[in-house]
Amino acid sequence: MAMLRVITWISMKLGRRQARVILHLIAGYFLLFAPTARRSSRAYLTRVFGQPAHIWQIYRHFLTFSATIHDRIDLLNNRFDLFDIHVHQPEAIATAVAAGQGVLLLGAHLGSFEVLRGVGQQHPGPRVVMVMYEQNAQRLNAMLSAINPMAEQNIIPPGRMDSMIRVQEELENGALVGLLGDRSFGKEKVQSITFLGKPALWPSGPFRMAVILRRPIFFMVGLHTGPGKYEIFLEQLADFTEVERDEREAVVHRAMEKYVSLLDKYCHMAPYNWFNFFDFWQ
């Protein structure tokens, strides 16, 4: 938190270019002193490139992650003029937002999910809400407070008695509700689906939430493509509006397979944007 506050101060007072110098030092630090993250990066990059990863590729991986964290500083301080953001979205999302119906978005630790919050703040209208587990929410809240104490923190922790009701209310009020679907917690149901050539376990919770709420669910990713540049891609995964009970499991499985295939696609498109620094296939 102390280092994050220092970088925030440098970025806000001295400018992004000066702050980016520190990002190289941070990437170098992790390359030298974070063996678990380094091994995980090497394993992932070897899979996505199909050949052993070089040390400079691991360094670039850490640098990209550092850059997305740094960009949060300006996104959360409403400095949108510093970014070049392109959004690729299906007509269904634009129609839903225009009608105030709300949209359920499923992302991953791929690129920056924070850029969605920035876009939501930049274009008045839809409120942006994140669904995340309480421990992660507390960490994110601490980080957001370090960057901008006035930043709006719309977070719904799952697993509570009123969680589903709150999500439903936000959707009915036209909100963009975001979830991350690449990590499971506790006794949540998981399914084994091949990712980058090897089976991995994926949680089905976000999809079952969409089933219960009878809502379409969309894939969302904000890829960091260069300093201050992002490409946001949104694609429909499934529409659970009128799914019969006996069809649910099959529809959920197809939607999960499509979700993983899209992650595979965008990992190859922007390989340094994958930010799960642990043995994902364990």
Side-chain angles (χ1 to χ4, degrees), residues 153-203:
Q153 302 169 24
N154 305 320
I155 297 174
I156 299 175
R160 294 184 177 180
M161 294 292 290
D162 64 339
S163 297
M164 197 76 70
I165 295 174
R166 290 178 61 188
V167 170
Q168 176 72 356
E169 289 175 346
E170 293 288 355
L171 290 170
E172 290 177 350
N173 290 328
L176 303 178
V177 179
L179 308 92
L180 298 177
D182 56 341
R183 295 185 190 176
S184 60
F185 298 85
K187 299 180 179 180
E188 184 177 1
K189 289 185 178 180
V190 295
Q191 293 189 22
S192 177
I193 302 174
T194 298
F195 173 58
L196 295 179
K198 186 177 180 180
L201 297 178
W202 303 88

Side-chain angles (χ1 to χ4, degrees), residues 97-113:
V97 171
Q101 296 175 356
V103 178
L104 197 59
L105 300 172
L106 185 62
H109 292 81
L110 176 66
S112 173
F113 209 80

Side-chain angles (χ1 to χ4, degrees), residues 137-165:
Q138 290 173 351
R139 292 174 179 171
L140 180 59
N141 282 337
M143 186 186 71
L144 295 181
S145 296
I147 294 173
N148 182 359
M150 301 302 294
E152 189 176 10
Q153 302 169 24
N154 305 320
I155 297 174
I156 299 175
R160 294 184 177 180
M161 294 292 290
D162 64 339
S163 297
M164 197 76 70
I165 295 174

Side-chain angles (χ1 to χ4, degrees), residues 113-131:
F113 209 80
E114 196 68 43
V115 76
L116 170 66
R117 296 168 60 95
V119 170
Q121 296 290 336
Q122 184 179 15
H123 302 287
R127 168 182 163 94
V128 179
V129 180
M130 295 292 294
V131 179

Side-chain angles (χ1 to χ4, degrees), residues 178-232:
L179 308 92
L180 298 177
D182 56 341
R183 295 185 190 176
S184 60
F185 298 85
K187 299 180 179 180
E188 184 177 1
K189 289 185 178 180
V190 295
Q191 293 189 22
S192 177
I193 302 174
T194 298
F195 173 58
L196 295 179
K198 186 177 180 180
L201 297 178
W202 303 88
S204 60
F207 299 91
R208 298 185 187 281
M209 175 183 290
V211 168
I212 294 172
L213 295 175
R214 291 187 171 274
R215 290 273 181 167
I217 187 168
F218 294 85
F219 175 87
M220 180 271 176
V221 64
L223 299 178
H224 180 271
T225 57
K229 296 182 179 180
Y230 286 91
E231 296 279 341
I232 298 178

Side-chain angles (χ1 to χ4, degrees), residues 78-94:
N78 301 318
R79 302 173 74 185
F80 304 108
D81 57 303
L82 300 176
F83 296 92
D84 182 12
I85 302 174
H86 294 274
V87 182
H88 310 272
Q89 65 181 18
E91 187 63 29
I93 288 186

